Amino acid sequence: MLTTANRPHRSLQTRIIAIVVAMVAIAVVSQVLARFTAAPPQARVVAVDPQQPTVGDLDQGSTTLGSTDGSVAGISADADIARIRADIAFWGARVTRDRDDFISSNRLGAAEIELARSTGDLSAYLAAENAFDITLKRDPTNSAALGYKGSVLVSLHRFTDAAALARDVLARVPGDPVSLATLGDAELELGNISEARNAFDQVNRITPSAATAGRLGHLAFITGDPVTAVSDSRAATVASLNEGSEGERLAFYQYQLADVLISTGDRAGAAKAYAAALADAPNSFLAHSGLARVAAANGDLTEGIRQLTAAIDIVPQPEFLARRGDLYTMRAKPGDAKLAAADYATVEAIAKLAGEAASVYDRTLSLYLANHDLDAARAVTLAQNELVLRKDVYGFDAAAWALLKDGRASDADAAMTSALAFGTQDAKVYYHAGMIDIALGRTAQARTMLERSLALDPSFDPFQAVKARAALAKLP
């Protein structure tokens, strides 16, 4: 049997035409609707019954799963997607017959969101927005449609629109938890920390839940409080269990906890949480990507490739493809260079095929270009275009990195100063800051930043971590 690490690619360029991926933020937003928004009457909530794979001894750094080919016995992602598409066809036909049937248009939109979450197809989010707009044309105050639409807008990175929609609802219904959560999500992505904190605190006072704990944990990480970030993320997993979550929803909180753990230096703890997420939802591409991150940081490039291949087989996200290409490049076995080139080519193909939602990929593509010393001017344009509205820590960081690669170290330094002002303790940001310091001749600062990056989380990017070590070794 071919393993996922060595079997041939399955015509990824062809698959990309139908499956264009959304970013990880999609999962965050969906959780609040699962907790706060009532589903349309009689709507089904489908949860996969996980067939737990055997997990290796994670205390010893092993992330090998019992299944060697990336499959999970008893689980069929294709069957579940077929079921979702059948639901879309059914509710879509009802809406076509009667556009005043708001129950059907809401169900259609919910099914499109489920498809987007299962496949990463951005066009499904656009279709969902259209379905909810049909409802809102008939009933502008329909709470389910407004709540779902807010999540769609955030998923499509239309943060200003999402914030405006949430404020409109809050003007009519002060304290509406869904709108407060959407507002907080949007404001955080826009870099408005105090507004985001205010919204999240209000939600937590009104309806404490796994969703609010997860949001507060993410906010704590962004604002440089790793202890609270870990504590709140753990609380989210406990609350999710108490709320009766299972499958993908429960797995999401395990994944979020794992991401916080690995980003704050606890790789072993992260490995366990990623594995728990995969046990809860065997088709979780997020969990596979997290296990790949652990494996690569542990020096097991083949296992990292295997896990990324499993993730890509579920959702070919640009970041996964870029990272797998890097691991192929680092492993450098016969044929790996060709495989890496194919992955890199597909990263750009995804962005080109995203159509009107292509801006979702601006930051990812900018970082990809800068990381690989490709078209630095374009990397700058992509990062700065997004930074016009989305002034968060990672927006400034992406702009700084692109500007450095474009030979504009002083401009990069100004952008990095804004990024560091958030206080976020992120190894990638520290690495970029250290490389800017080198370009500006600030040797002591460069050493501090690079050492901090590698000590905190060398898993931030295995390919760039190698460059960080090389740069550090050259410092006088």
Side-chain angles (χ1 to χ4, degrees):
M1 177 183 292
L2 289 173
T3 68
T4 55
N6 63 19
R7 68 186 180 199
H9 288 261
R10 296 189 303 160
S11 302
L12 266 179
Q13 280 84 351
T14 300
R15 293 176 60 221
I16 296 299
I17 295 175
I19 308 177
V20 181
V21 233
M23 305 307 295
V24 172
I26 290 169
V28 179
V29 177
S30 300
Q31 301 311 310
V32 77
L33 288 172
R35 176 66 178 90
F36 293 140
T37 304
Q42 300 179 4
R44 275 192 303 165
V45 178
V46 178
V48 176
D49 180 20
Q51 304 294 317
Q52 297 186 1
T54 301
V55 182
D57 184 0
L58 299 179
D59 285 331
Q60 301 302 315
S62 169
T63 58
T64 302
L65 301 180
S67 171
T68 59
D69 64 353
S71 63
V72 181
I75 297 295
S76 173
D78 289 341
D80 200 45
I81 291 171
R83 187 268 309 164
I84 296 170
R85 293 191 187 280
D87 287 348
I88 289 171
F90 177 79
W91 296 115
R94 290 176 64 96
V95 172
T96 299
R97 288 195 300 270
D98 181 5
R99 292 178 70 83
D100 287 334
D101 180 0
F102 70 92
I103 293 178
S104 291
S105 53
N106 276 353
R107 290 183 179 183
L108 173 61
E112 292 284 7
I113 289 176
E114 190 177 5
L115 180 65
R117 292 180 64 194
S118 297
T119 67
D121 184 352
L122 289 182
S123 68
Y125 279 102
L126 297 171
E129 181 185 14
N130 181 65
F132 298 130
D133 282 343
I134 291 172
T135 296
L136 294 171
K137 184 176 181 180
R138 179 187 183 279
D139 177 10
T141 63
N142 186 282
S143 60
L146 288 167
Y148 279 121
K149 182 174 179 178
S151 76
V152 168
L153 292 174
V154 174
S155 298
L156 291 171
H157 292 193
R158 289 160 53 188
F159 303 114
T160 302
D161 292 343
L165 178 65
R167 289 194 184 93
D168 285 345
V169 175
L170 290 167
R172 290 185 293 100
V173 190
D176 177 66
V178 174
S179 297
L180 283 169
T182 298
L183 179 62
D185 290 334
E187 294 290 11
L188 185 56
E189 294 296 333
L190 292 170
N192 301 324
I193 298 297
S194 61
E195 290 87 344
R197 188 186 304 279
N198 180 57
F200 291 157
D201 284 345
Q202 287 189 64
V203 176
N204 196 46
R205 285 195 297 271
I206 296 167
T207 315
S209 67
T212 56
R215 280 174 165 79
L216 290 170
H218 180 55
L219 177 63
F221 179 78
I222 293 297
T223 55
D225 183 357
V227 173
T228 300
V230 171
S231 176
D232 284 347
S233 297
R234 288 194 189 281
T237 63
V238 174
S240 183
L241 281 168
N242 291 338
E243 292 164 7
S245 298
E246 58 184 11
E248 184 274 337
R249 192 185 305 175
L250 179 59
F252 170 77
Y253 291 108
Q254 291 284 4
Y255 167 80
Q256 185 185 39
L257 171 62
D259 254 20
V260 171
L261 289 172
I262 199 167
S263 297
T264 54
D266 185 359
R267 196 186 311 164
K272 292 179 180 179
Y274 284 133
L278 194 62
D280 290 326
N283 289 316
S284 172
F285 58 93
L286 296 174
H288 280 299
S289 71
L291 288 169
R293 182 174 173 180
V294 171
N298 289 338
D300 191 345
L301 301 182
T302 297
E303 175 63 9
I305 290 168
R306 190 185 77 82
Q307 292 288 356
L308 280 171
T309 299
I312 291 165
D313 281 349
I314 300 166
V315 175
Q317 194 165 1
E319 183 180 352
F320 300 165
L321 287 153
R323 183 158 292 200
R324 187 174 68 176
D326 290 345
L327 296 187
Y328 279 133
T329 299
M330 293 171 67
R331 191 176 68 172
K333 287 187 176 181
D336 280 354
K338 185 176 180 179
L339 293 171
D343 279 351
Y344 293 150
T346 308
V347 171
E348 296 231 33
I350 291 174
K352 290 177 182 177
L353 291 166
E356 62 182 284
S359 61
V360 167
Y361 301 116
D362 282 356
R363 185 175 296 177
T364 298
L365 188 54
S366 176
L367 289 169
Y368 163 74
L369 293 171
N371 281 342
H372 297 86
D373 298 311
L374 301 169
D375 200 348
R378 183 181 172 208
V380 170
T381 297
L382 289 167
Q384 290 186 331
N385 283 348
E386 182 169 291
L387 194 57
V388 170
L389 290 177
R390 195 181 179 192
K391 294 180 172 63
D392 66 327
V393 55
Y394 296 112
F396 285 110
D397 174 68
W401 189 231
L403 286 163
L404 177 66
K405 294 293 184 166
D406 198 36
R408 299 161 58 182
S410 294
D411 292 336
D413 190 42
M416 181 52 66
T417 297
S418 295
L420 293 171
F422 283 83
T424 310
Q425 297 182 34
D426 188 298
K428 178 177 67 176
V429 176
Y430 291 154
Y431 163 61
H432 292 163
M435 298 303 282
I436 292 170
D437 286 332
I438 289 176
L440 294 173
R442 300 190 300 233
T443 302
Q445 295 95 315
R447 183 179 298 281
T448 296
M449 285 296 182
L450 293 177
E451 288 179 345
R452 185 179 297 172
S453 171
L454 293 170
L456 177 61
D457 175 26
S459 80
F460 76 91
D461 186 323
F463 197 52
Q464 298 301 315
V466 170
K467 295 183 178 182
R469 294 186 186 96
L472 189 59
K474 291 179 182 178
L475 290 176

mmCIF file of all heavy atoms in Angstrom, residues 265-300:
data_model
loop_
_atom_site.group_PDB
_atom_site.id
_atom_site.type_symbol
_atom_site.label_atom_id
_atom_site.label_comp_id
_atom_site.label_asym_id
_atom_site.label_seq_id
_atom_site.Cartn_x
_atom_site.Cartn_y
_atom_site.Cartn_z
ATOM 1 N N GLY A 265 5.662 27.318 23.614
ATOM 2 C CA GLY A 265 6.830 26.517 23.955
ATOM 3 C C GLY A 265 6.573 25.121 24.473
ATOM 4 O O GLY A 265 7.526 24.398 24.771
ATOM 5 N N ASP A 266 5.312 24.706 24.573
ATOM 6 C CA ASP A 266 5.005 23.362 25.080
ATOM 7 C C ASP A 266 4.670 22.439 23.909
ATOM 8 O O ASP A 266 3.516 22.141 23.640
ATOM 9 C CB ASP A 266 3.832 23.431 26.054
ATOM 10 C CG ASP A 266 3.537 22.083 26.720
ATOM 11 O OD1 ASP A 266 4.235 21.099 26.410
ATOM 12 O OD2 ASP A 266 2.595 22.032 27.542
ATOM 13 N N ARG A 267 5.703 21.945 23.237
ATOM 14 C CA ARG A 267 5.492 21.117 22.054
ATOM 15 C C ARG A 267 4.904 19.747 22.415
ATOM 16 O O ARG A 267 4.049 19.226 21.687
ATOM 17 C CB ARG A 267 6.812 20.932 21.300
ATOM 18 C CG ARG A 267 6.633 20.417 19.877
ATOM 19 C CD ARG A 267 7.982 20.121 19.238
ATOM 20 N NE ARG A 267 8.909 21.225 19.397
ATOM 21 C CZ ARG A 267 10.221 21.122 19.204
ATOM 22 N NH1 ARG A 267 10.751 19.946 18.893
ATOM 23 N NH2 ARG A 267 11.006 22.172 19.357
ATOM 24 N N ALA A 268 5.354 19.173 23.517
ATOM 25 C CA ALA A 268 4.834 17.858 23.911
ATOM 26 C C ALA A 268 3.344 17.947 24.249
ATOM 27 O O ALA A 268 2.545 17.100 23.847
ATOM 28 C CB ALA A 268 5.623 17.317 25.101
ATOM 29 N N GLY A 269 2.966 18.983 24.993
ATOM 30 C CA GLY A 269 1.562 19.171 25.314
ATOM 31 C C GLY A 269 0.731 19.419 24.071
ATOM 32 O O GLY A 269 -0.404 18.931 23.949
ATOM 33 N N ALA A 270 1.299 20.153 23.136
ATOM 34 C CA ALA A 270 0.601 20.420 21.881
ATOM 35 C C ALA A 270 0.377 19.134 21.096
ATOM 36 O O ALA A 270 -0.700 18.926 20.529
ATOM 37 C CB ALA A 270 1.394 21.421 21.042
ATOM 38 N N ALA A 271 1.381 18.276 21.067
ATOM 39 C CA ALA A 271 1.249 17.016 20.338
ATOM 40 C C ALA A 271 0.078 16.197 20.870
ATOM 41 O O ALA A 271 -0.704 15.611 20.098
ATOM 42 C CB ALA A 271 2.547 16.212 20.435
ATOM 43 N N LYS A 272 -0.068 16.158 22.187
ATOM 44 C CA LYS A 272 -1.169 15.415 22.778
ATOM 45 C C LYS A 272 -2.520 16.030 22.403
ATOM 46 O O LYS A 272 -3.482 15.314 22.105
ATOM 47 C CB LYS A 272 -1.017 15.375 24.297
ATOM 48 C CG LYS A 272 0.171 14.555 24.781
ATOM 49 C CD LYS A 272 0.265 14.577 26.304
ATOM 50 C CE LYS A 272 1.454 13.750 26.785
ATOM 51 N NZ LYS A 272 1.583 13.786 28.266
ATOM 52 N N ALA A 273 -2.590 17.359 22.425
ATOM 53 C CA ALA A 273 -3.857 18.027 22.114
ATOM 54 C C ALA A 273 -4.208 17.888 20.635
ATOM 55 O O ALA A 273 -5.376 17.697 20.283
ATOM 56 C CB ALA A 273 -3.793 19.502 22.514
ATOM 57 N N TYR A 274 -3.208 17.980 19.753
ATOM 58 C CA TYR A 274 -3.478 17.761 18.323
ATOM 59 C C TYR A 274 -3.993 16.333 18.098
ATOM 60 O O TYR A 274 -4.927 16.106 17.322
ATOM 61 C CB TYR A 274 -2.206 17.962 17.505
ATOM 62 C CG TYR A 274 -1.782 19.391 17.287
ATOM 63 C CD1 TYR A 274 -0.446 19.765 17.490
ATOM 64 C CD2 TYR A 274 -2.672 20.360 16.841
ATOM 65 C CE1 TYR A 274 -0.026 21.073 17.284
ATOM 66 C CE2 TYR A 274 -2.253 21.675 16.622
ATOM 67 C CZ TYR A 274 -0.933 22.017 16.850
ATOM 68 O OH TYR A 274 -0.517 23.308 16.629
ATOM 69 N N ALA A 275 -3.350 15.375 18.779
ATOM 70 C CA ALA A 275 -3.778 13.980 18.631
ATOM 71 C C ALA A 275 -5.196 13.784 19.162
ATOM 72 O O ALA A 275 -5.992 13.034 18.580
ATOM 73 C CB ALA A 275 -2.802 13.056 19.358
ATOM 74 N N ALA A 276 -5.529 14.454 20.251
ATOM 75 C CA ALA A 276 -6.884 14.370 20.791
ATOM 76 C C ALA A 276 -7.891 14.951 19.801
ATOM 77 O O ALA A 276 -8.988 14.410 19.624
ATOM 78 C CB ALA A 276 -6.963 15.114 22.127
ATOM 79 N N ALA A 277 -7.518 16.034 19.153
ATOM 80 C CA ALA A 277 -8.401 16.639 18.149
ATOM 81 C C ALA A 277 -8.646 15.675 16.999
ATOM 82 O O ALA A 277 -9.776 15.532 16.519
ATOM 83 C CB ALA A 277 -7.788 17.935 17.619
ATOM 84 N N LEU A 278 -7.600 14.974 16.581
ATOM 85 C CA LEU A 278 -7.747 14.035 15.480
ATOM 86 C C LEU A 278 -8.588 12.831 15.898
ATOM 87 O O LEU A 278 -9.352 12.287 15.086
ATOM 88 C CB LEU A 278 -6.374 13.577 14.987
ATOM 89 C CG LEU A 278 -6.357 12.871 13.634
ATOM 90 C CD1 LEU A 278 -6.845 13.800 12.529
ATOM 91 C CD2 LEU A 278 -4.962 12.353 13.309
ATOM 92 N N ALA A 279 -8.468 12.433 17.157
ATOM 93 C CA ALA A 279 -9.294 11.338 17.649
ATOM 94 C C ALA A 279 -10.766 11.741 17.668
ATOM 95 O O ALA A 279 -11.645 10.937 17.364
ATOM 96 C CB ALA A 279 -8.837 10.928 19.042
ATOM 97 N N ASP A 280 -11.036 12.980 18.019
ATOM 98 C CA ASP A 280 -12.419 13.467 18.043
ATOM 99 C C ASP A 280 -12.990 13.629 16.640
ATOM 100 O O ASP A 280 -14.175 13.398 16.415
ATOM 101 C CB ASP A 280 -12.494 14.819 18.764
ATOM 102 C CG ASP A 280 -12.253 14.700 20.262
ATOM 103 O OD1 ASP A 280 -12.647 13.668 20.832
ATOM 104 O OD2 ASP A 280 -11.679 15.633 20.838
ATOM 105 N N ALA A 281 -12.144 14.043 15.695
ATOM 106 C CA ALA A 281 -12.600 14.279 14.320
ATOM 107 C C ALA A 281 -11.524 13.783 13.357
ATOM 108 O O ALA A 281 -10.615 14.537 12.995
ATOM 109 C CB ALA A 281 -12.871 15.764 14.088
ATOM 110 N N PRO A 282 -11.577 12.523 12.964
ATOM 111 C CA PRO A 282 -10.519 11.942 12.136
ATOM 112 C C PRO A 282 -10.311 12.631 10.794
ATOM 113 O O PRO A 282 -9.276 12.426 10.160
ATOM 114 C CB PRO A 282 -10.988 10.490 11.945
ATOM 115 C CG PRO A 282 -11.829 10.215 13.150
ATOM 116 C CD PRO A 282 -12.546 11.503 13.420
ATOM 117 N N ASN A 283 -11.271 13.417 10.344
ATOM 118 C CA ASN A 283 -11.093 14.156 9.089
ATOM 119 C C ASN A 283 -10.675 15.600 9.321
ATOM 120 O O ASN A 283 -10.807 16.445 8.433
ATOM 121 C CB ASN A 283 -12.395 14.124 8.281
ATOM 122 C CG ASN A 283 -12.673 12.748 7.710
ATOM 123 O OD1 ASN A 283 -11.775 12.091 7.182
ATOM 124 N ND2 ASN A 283 -13.909 12.292 7.826
ATOM 125 N N SER A 284 -10.147 15.903 10.502
ATOM 126 C CA SER A 284 -9.730 17.268 10.808
ATOM 127 C C SER A 284 -8.406 17.604 10.118
ATOM 128 O O SER A 284 -7.339 17.151 10.519
ATOM 129 C CB SER A 284 -9.574 17.459 12.320
ATOM 130 O OG SER A 284 -9.003 18.721 12.604
ATOM 131 N N PHE A 285 -8.491 18.430 9.087
ATOM 132 C CA PHE A 285 -7.265 18.851 8.405
ATOM 133 C C PHE A 285 -6.433 19.747 9.323
ATOM 134 O O PHE A 285 -5.212 19.787 9.223
ATOM 135 C CB PHE A 285 -7.601 19.577 7.102
ATOM 136 C CG PHE A 285 -8.480 20.788 7.235
ATOM 137 C CD1 PHE A 285 -7.931 22.042 7.377
ATOM 138 C CD2 PHE A 285 -9.862 20.670 7.197
ATOM 139 C CE1 PHE A 285 -8.736 23.161 7.501
ATOM 140 C CE2 PHE A 285 -10.683 21.778 7.310
ATOM 141 C CZ PHE A 285 -10.116 23.035 7.465
ATOM 142 N N LEU A 286 -7.086 20.451 10.253
ATOM 143 C CA LEU A 286 -6.349 21.291 11.192
ATOM 144 C C LEU A 286 -5.483 20.440 12.112
ATOM 145 O O LEU A 286 -4.324 20.768 12.367
ATOM 146 C CB LEU A 286 -7.328 22.120 12.018
ATOM 147 C CG LEU A 286 -8.169 23.144 11.254
ATOM 148 C CD1 LEU A 286 -9.191 23.784 12.182
ATOM 149 C CD2 LEU A 286 -7.287 24.201 10.617
ATOM 150 N N ALA A 287 -6.039 19.348 12.615
ATOM 151 C CA ALA A 287 -5.266 18.468 13.495
ATOM 152 C C ALA A 287 -4.090 17.847 12.758
ATOM 153 O O ALA A 287 -2.984 17.756 13.293
ATOM 154 C CB ALA A 287 -6.175 17.386 14.068
ATOM 155 N N HIS A 288 -4.323 17.408 11.530
ATOM 156 C CA HIS A 288 -3.214 16.853 10.734
ATOM 157 C C HIS A 288 -2.115 17.892 10.531
ATOM 158 O O HIS A 288 -0.921 17.588 10.637
ATOM 159 C CB HIS A 288 -3.723 16.368 9.377
ATOM 160 C CG HIS A 288 -4.375 15.017 9.400
ATOM 161 N ND1 HIS A 288 -3.709 13.872 9.778
ATOM 162 C CD2 HIS A 288 -5.639 14.625 9.077
ATOM 163 C CE1 HIS A 288 -4.527 12.835 9.702
ATOM 164 N NE2 HIS A 288 -5.701 13.258 9.278
ATOM 165 N N SER A 289 -2.509 19.122 10.235
ATOM 166 C CA SER A 289 -1.500 20.157 10.017
ATOM 167 C C SER A 289 -0.730 20.434 11.300
ATOM 168 O O SER A 289 0.477 20.704 11.268
ATOM 169 C CB SER A 289 -2.154 21.445 9.502
ATOM 170 O OG SER A 289 -2.910 22.093 10.521
ATOM 171 N N GLY A 290 -1.414 20.372 12.445
ATOM 172 C CA GLY A 290 -0.729 20.582 13.708
ATOM 173 C C GLY A 290 0.260 19.471 14.016
ATOM 174 O O GLY A 290 1.386 19.731 14.469
ATOM 175 N N LEU A 291 -0.129 18.229 13.761
ATOM 176 C CA LEU A 291 0.795 17.115 13.968
ATOM 177 C C LEU A 291 1.987 17.200 13.028
ATOM 178 O O LEU A 291 3.102 16.809 13.384
ATOM 179 C CB LEU A 291 0.055 15.789 13.784
ATOM 180 C CG LEU A 291 -0.929 15.442 14.909
ATOM 181 C CD1 LEU A 291 -1.798 14.255 14.520
ATOM 182 C CD2 LEU A 291 -0.179 15.158 16.208
ATOM 183 N N ALA A 292 1.768 17.724 11.836
ATOM 184 C CA ALA A 292 2.879 17.944 10.904
ATOM 185 C C ALA A 292 3.848 18.976 11.473
ATOM 186 O O ALA A 292 5.077 18.836 11.354
ATOM 187 C CB ALA A 292 2.344 18.411 9.554
ATOM 188 N N ARG A 293 3.300 19.999 12.084
ATOM 189 C CA ARG A 293 4.138 21.052 12.686
ATOM 190 C C ARG A 293 5.012 20.467 13.798
ATOM 191 O O ARG A 293 6.204 20.772 13.893
ATOM 192 C CB ARG A 293 3.212 22.145 13.230
ATOM 193 C CG ARG A 293 3.899 23.342 13.850
ATOM 194 C CD ARG A 293 2.860 24.402 14.203
ATOM 195 N NE ARG A 293 3.456 25.497 14.951
ATOM 196 C CZ ARG A 293 2.780 26.556 15.377
ATOM 197 N NH1 ARG A 293 1.482 26.664 15.101
ATOM 198 N NH2 ARG A 293 3.393 27.509 16.069
ATOM 199 N N VAL A 294 4.423 19.623 14.628
ATOM 200 C CA VAL A 294 5.176 18.980 15.701
ATOM 201 C C VAL A 294 6.261 18.079 15.129
ATOM 202 O O VAL A 294 7.420 18.120 15.557
ATOM 203 C CB VAL A 294 4.229 18.163 16.609
ATOM 204 C CG1 VAL A 294 5.036 17.320 17.595
ATOM 205 C CG2 VAL A 294 3.279 19.081 17.362
ATOM 206 N N ALA A 295 5.888 17.259 14.158
ATOM 207 C CA ALA A 295 6.843 16.308 13.586
ATOM 208 C C ALA A 295 8.040 17.021 12.966
ATOM 209 O O ALA A 295 9.191 16.627 13.167
ATOM 210 C CB ALA A 295 6.143 15.438 12.542
ATOM 211 N N ALA A 296 7.770 18.069 12.195
ATOM 212 C CA ALA A 296 8.862 18.795 11.543
ATOM 213 C C ALA A 296 9.778 19.448 12.572
ATOM 214 O O ALA A 296 11.005 19.433 12.425
ATOM 215 C CB ALA A 296 8.293 19.850 10.603
ATOM 216 N N ALA A 297 9.199 19.997 13.642
ATOM 217 C CA ALA A 297 10.019 20.606 14.687
ATOM 218 C C ALA A 297 10.870 19.569 15.404
ATOM 219 O O ALA A 297 11.963 19.870 15.874
ATOM 220 C CB ALA A 297 9.131 21.337 15.686
ATOM 221 N N ASN A 298 10.362 18.327 15.464
ATOM 222 C CA ASN A 298 11.128 17.231 16.077
ATOM 223 C C ASN A 298 12.154 16.635 15.122
ATOM 224 O O ASN A 298 12.855 15.686 15.480
ATOM 225 C CB ASN A 298 10.171 16.133 16.547
ATOM 226 C CG ASN A 298 9.366 16.546 17.760
ATOM 227 O OD1 ASN A 298 9.763 17.442 18.506
ATOM 228 N ND2 ASN A 298 8.234 15.900 17.977
ATOM 229 N N GLY A 299 12.210 17.157 13.904
ATOM 230 C CA GLY A 299 13.181 16.668 12.933
ATOM 231 C C GLY A 299 12.702 15.516 12.083
ATOM 232 O O GLY A 299 13.474 14.983 11.271
ATOM 233 N N ASP A 300 11.450 15.115 12.220
ATOM 234 C CA ASP A 300 10.907 14.003 11.436
ATOM 235 C C ASP A 300 10.187 14.569 10.214
ATOM 236 O O ASP A 300 8.965 14.722 10.193
ATOM 237 C CB ASP A 300 9.946 13.183 12.292
ATOM 238 C CG ASP A 300 9.548 11.865 11.633
ATOM 239 O OD1 ASP A 300 9.784 11.720 10.419
ATOM 240 O OD2 ASP A 300 8.987 10.991 12.337
#
